[in-house]
Amino acid sequence: VLSKQEVIELLERHGIMATQQRVELGRLLFARPQHISAEQLMESASHKAERQISKATIYNTLNLFAEKGLLREVIVDPTKTFYDSNLSRHGHVYNIDSGEISDIPMPAVLMSDLPADTTAVSIDIVVRVKNSC
Amino acid sequence: VLSKQEVIELLERHGIMATQQRVELGRLLFARPQHISAEQLMESASHKAERQISKATIYNTLNLFAEKGLLREVIVDPTKTFYDSNLSRHGHVYNIDSGEISDIPMPAVLMSDLPADTTAVSIDIVVRVKNSC
DNA sequence: ATTGGTGCAAAGGATTTGCAGTCTA
DNA sequence: TAGACTGCAAATCCTTTGCACCAAT
């Protein structure tokens, strides 16, 4: 778990003004590598944060962190966005029954067939699984 | 472009009752390999279909076709689901500026690291790109 | 007749937005 | 003080649902 000061430095290194809410959310998010939804973060913040943090601020902060490269958006479910605090190169396994997300190693992917005049922003591999019946 | 009769046979082969709306939507969807959203299909149907087809039927039909294996859901954008009438093994390039989706070959992906007691339903590779500035 | 499909409008749920109040540099 | 951030509620957008009507077996 990072100290407030460590989070403040992390944010500022990424050009993000370190406000109180952002620091508290940062401590929750960067405590460990995890996959978390806006809803889950709201729930977590309502228990653990010193001050209560509004829904809009949760969404704003998640979007800002993702944009600034502190979080990675994980698009596995059309109805809900997850954010991954593990920035290393990896793919995801999404259990469509339980909603759980776990990591898998990402194999080398050949990038030879991208349209010219564009640049790759992200490469995602998602394996959707269901519980064996 | 498939004839009505060809679409009827296709649907029945997949255990789908061939109603008029489903056949018309099938003709639009299976005319060529494409990536289409519910909204785009509604737009297309409003011009080309013989009778007008309601929003609910569009969604019901897309979900049914996907469930029965005639379409593949493409989850690239958290705000909108696309459906792919190309069922062959391939990945996608999603242009976050234009919203365009195009295909890329899918490299062999090692499936050795899936959780036991689950079975893979789909494997998606999505490369998000932006226009070079 | 019975089962399944369709259309319409309303409900639902995640996310965004507008604006007033608050904090920070 | 100016600019940026936050909170709240309302608005938005995509998608699903409930229900009455229609079609096919």
Side-chain angles (χ1 to χ4, degrees), chain B residues 81-98:
Chain B
T81 303
F82 288 84
Y83 295 84
D84 192 346
S85 56
N86 174 0
L87 298 175
S88 70
R89 188 167 162 289
H90 65 281
H92 291 111
V93 177
Y94 180 59
N95 186 313
I96 59 182
D97 290 323
S98 68

Side-chain angles (χ1 to χ4, degrees), chain B residues 17 19 21-22 52-54 56-57:
Chain B
M17 183 182 291
T19 66
Q21 287 86 342
R22 290 172 183 175
Q52 82 103 53
I53 300 175
S54 78
T57 298

Side-chain angles (χ1 to χ4, degrees), chain B residues 97-130:
Chain B
D97 290 323
S98 68
E100 270 176 295
I101 298 175
S102 45
D103 291 346
I104 48 168
M106 182 179 291
V109 175
L110 299 175
M111 288 291 88
S112 46
D113 300 284
L114 299 186
D117 75 344
T118 60
T119 53
V121 172
S122 67
I123 302 172
D124 296 334
I125 296 184
V126 176
V127 179
R128 263 163 270 268
V129 302
K130 62 180 176 58

Side-chain angles (χ1 to χ4, degrees), chain A residues 10-64:
Chain A
L10 177 64
L11 298 187
E12 294 185 340
R13 261 204 309 284
H14 287 259
I16 299 173
M17 183 182 292
T19 66
Q20 296 181 110
Q21 287 84 344
R22 289 173 184 175
V23 172
E24 298 207 9
L25 294 176
R27 293 192 73 192
L28 295 173
L29 290 165
F30 307 128
R32 58 189 174 77
Q34 61 184 317
H35 312 97
I36 195 170
S37 66
E39 189 183 22
Q40 290 167 341
L41 182 57
M42 252 178 278
E43 172 67 12
S44 172
S46 73
H47 293 314
K48 298 181 190 157
E50 294 176 9
R51 52 184 58 63
Q52 82 102 53
I53 299 176
S54 78
K55 188 187 283 196
T57 298
I58 300 273
Y59 277 103
N60 288 340
T61 301
L62 286 171
N63 285 336
L64 180 67

Side-chain angles (χ1 to χ4, degrees), chain A residues 73 75-81 93 95-96 102-105 107-111 113-132, chain B residues 73 75-81 93 95-96 102-105 107-111 113-132:
Chain A
E73 263 188 319
I75 304 176
V76 291
D77 184 327
T79 71
K80 198 180 295 188
T81 304
V93 177
N95 186 312
I96 58 181
S102 44
D103 292 345
I104 47 168
V109 175
L110 298 175
M111 289 291 88
D113 299 284
L114 299 186
D117 75 343
T118 60
T119 54
V121 172
S122 67
I123 302 172
D124 296 334
I125 297 184
V126 176
V127 180
R128 264 163 270 267
V129 302
K130 63 180 174 61
N131 297 330
S132 312
Chain B
E73 263 188 318
I75 304 177
V76 291
D77 183 328
T79 69
K80 198 179 296 186
T81 303
V93 177
N95 186 313
I96 59 182
S102 45
D103 291 346
I104 48 168
V109 175
L110 299 175
M111 288 291 88
D113 300 284
L114 299 186
D117 75 344
T118 60
T119 53
V121 172
S122 67
I123 302 172
D124 296 334
I125 296 184
V126 176
V127 179
R128 263 163 270 268
V129 302
K130 62 180 176 58
N131 298 330
S132 313

